[in-house]
Coordinates of all heavy atoms in Angstrom, one line a residue:
G1037 N 31.0 228.1 173.6 CA 31.4 226.8 174.0 C 32.8 226.7 174.7 O 33.3 225.6 174.9
A1038 N 33.4 227.8 175.0 CA 34.7 227.8 175.6 C 34.6 228.1 177.1 O 33.7 228.8 177.5 CB 35.6 228.9 174.9
P1039 N 35.5 227.5 177.9 CA 35.4 227.8 179.3 C 35.6 229.3 179.6 O 36.4 230.0 179.0 CB 36.6 227.0 179.9 CG 36.8 225.9 178.9 CD 36.5 226.6 177.6
T1040 N 34.8 229.8 180.5 CA 34.8 231.3 180.8 C 35.0 231.6 182.3 O 35.5 232.6 182.7 CB 33.5 232.0 180.4 OG1 32.5 231.4 181.1 CG2 33.3 231.7 178.9
G1041 N 34.5 230.6 183.1 CA 34.6 230.9 184.6 C 33.4 231.8 185.0 O 33.3 232.2 186.2
G1042 N 32.5 232.2 184.1 CA 31.4 233.1 184.4 C 30.3 232.3 185.0 O 30.3 231.0 185.1
P1043 N 29.2 232.9 185.5 CA 28.1 232.3 186.1 C 27.4 231.4 185.1 O 27.3 231.7 183.9 CB 27.2 233.4 186.6 CG 27.6 234.6 185.7 CD 29.1 234.4 185.4
V1044 N 26.7 230.3 185.5 CA 26.0 229.5 184.6 C 24.8 230.1 184.0 O 24.4 229.9 182.9 CB 25.6 228.1 185.3 CG1 24.4 228.4 186.2 CG2 25.3 227.0 184.3
D1045 N 24.2 231.0 184.7 CA 23.1 231.8 184.2 C 23.5 232.8 183.2 O 24.6 233.3 183.2 CB 22.4 232.6 185.4 CG 21.2 233.3 184.9 OD1 20.1 232.7 184.8 OD2 21.3 234.5 184.6
V1046 N 22.7 233.0 182.2 CA 23.1 233.8 181.0 C 23.5 235.2 181.5 O 24.6 235.7 181.1 CB 21.9 233.9 180.0 CG1 22.3 234.8 178.9 CG2 21.5 232.6 179.5
F1047 N 22.7 235.8 182.3 CA 23.0 237.2 182.7 C 23.6 237.4 184.1 O 23.9 238.5 184.5 CB 21.7 238.1 182.6 CG 21.2 238.1 181.2 CD1 20.0 237.5 180.8 CD2 21.9 238.8 180.2 CE1 19.5 237.6 179.5 CE2 21.4 238.9 178.9 CZ 20.2 238.3 178.6
G1048 N 23.7 236.3 184.9 CA 24.3 236.3 186.2 C 23.6 237.1 187.2 O 22.4 237.4 187.1
D1049 N 24.3 237.6 188.2 CA 23.7 238.4 189.3 C 23.6 239.8 188.8 O 24.6 240.5 188.6 CB 24.5 238.3 190.5 CG 23.9 239.0 191.7 OD1 22.8 239.5 191.6 OD2 24.6 239.1 192.8
E1050 N 22.4 240.3 188.7 CA 22.1 241.7 188.2 C 21.8 242.7 189.2 O 21.5 243.8 188.9 CB 21.0 241.6 187.2 CG 21.2 240.7 186.0 CD 20.0 240.9 185.0 OE1 18.9 240.8 185.4 OE2 20.3 241.0 183.8
E1051 N 22.0 242.4 190.5 CA 21.5 243.3 191.5 C 22.1 244.7 191.4 O 21.4 245.7 191.6 CB 21.9 242.7 192.9 CG 21.4 243.5 194.1 CD 21.7 242.8 195.4 OE1 22.1 241.6 195.4 OE2 21.4 243.4 196.5
D1052 N 23.4 244.8 191.1 CA 24.0 246.2 191.1 C 24.2 246.7 189.7 O 25.0 247.6 189.5 CB 25.3 246.1 191.8 CG 25.1 245.7 193.3 OD1 24.1 246.2 193.9 OD2 26.0 245.0 193.9
H1053 N 23.6 246.1 188.7 CA 23.9 246.5 187.3 C 22.9 247.6 186.8 O 21.8 247.7 187.3 CB 23.8 245.2 186.4 CG 24.9 244.3 186.6 ND1 24.7 242.9 186.3 CD2 26.1 244.4 187.0 CE1 25.8 242.3 186.6 NE2 26.7 243.2 187.0
D1054 N 23.4 248.4 185.9 CA 22.6 249.5 185.3 C 21.5 248.9 184.5 O 20.4 249.4 184.5 CB 23.5 250.4 184.5 CG 24.6 251.1 185.3 OD1 24.4 251.3 186.5 OD2 25.7 251.3 184.8

Side-chain angles (χ1 to χ4, degrees):
T1040 64
V1044 77
D1045 181 81
V1046 178
F1047 297 112
D1049 183 5
E1050 298 185 313
E1051 184 176 351
D1052 298 323
H1053 290 152
D1054 298 329

